């Protein structure tokens, strides 16, 4: 019984990230944040069509990185990823549907013309 628990603990330690991994992830997230803030202070970039999609892509990359490393989904069983990703997809689709519905409603009543 103790051997099984010890083996399971040892297996868990092998898949757990080290301090170096967390440091690199934090540096990566900091660099992305600096780029986001830097982009906001360039008026020609803010006026371009690439500004909002660029910020959304960088935010998505940061979200994915935090979820995978700091929420440990990268090292957990795949069922936890499925349990997290499924409701996330449903929530995102609901949000997009509500945005579409309310934009059509706002156009219909003349708020967005």
């Amino acid at each position: 019984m103790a051997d099984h628990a010890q083996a399971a603990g040892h297996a868990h330690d092998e898949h757990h990230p080290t301090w170096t991994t967390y440091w690199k992830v934090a540096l990566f997230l900091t660099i992305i944040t600096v780029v986001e803030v830097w982009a906001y202070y360039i008026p020609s970039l803010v006026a371009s069509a690439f500004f909002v999609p660029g910020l959304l892509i960088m935010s998505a990359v940061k979200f994915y990185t935090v979820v995978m490393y700091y929420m440990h989904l990268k090292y957990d069983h795949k069922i936890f990823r499925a349990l997290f990703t499924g409701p996330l997809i449903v929530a995102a689709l609901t949000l997009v549907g509500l945005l579409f519905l309310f934009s059509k409603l706002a156009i219909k009543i003349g708020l967005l013309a």
Side-chain angles (χ1 to χ4, degrees):
M1 181 78 173
D3 291 337
H4 178 69
Q6 193 175 28
H10 183 67
H12 180 72
D13 289 341
E14 290 177 0
H15 298 294
H16 198 270
T18 62
W19 182 88
T20 305
T21 302
Y22 287 122
W23 185 85
K24 289 176 183 175
V25 169
L27 180 65
F28 177 70
L29 293 173
T30 302
I31 290 170
I32 291 178
T33 302
V34 167
V35 170
E36 287 174 334
V37 172
W38 171 75
Y40 184 75
Y41 285 102
I42 300 174
S44 62
L45 187 59
V46 172
S48 73
F50 299 107
F51 181 68
V52 173
L55 287 180
L56 289 174
I57 290 170
M58 286 189 280
S59 295
V61 169
K62 285 175 30 177
F63 175 78
Y64 175 80
T65 304
V66 168
V67 167
M68 286 294 123
Y69 287 97
Y70 291 126
M71 292 176 68
H72 304 277
L73 285 184
K74 182 177 174 99
Y75 305 103
D76 283 341
H77 195 271
K78 291 181 180 179
I79 190 71
F80 293 118
R81 270 189 244 169
L83 288 174
F84 181 80
T85 306
L88 179 67
I89 291 171
V90 170
L93 291 176
T94 302
L95 181 65
V96 169
L98 287 173
L99 288 172
F100 179 76
L101 176 70
F102 285 116
S103 69
K104 289 291 184 187
L105 181 64
I107 289 172
K108 195 171 190 174
I109 62 175
L111 294 176
L112 298 174

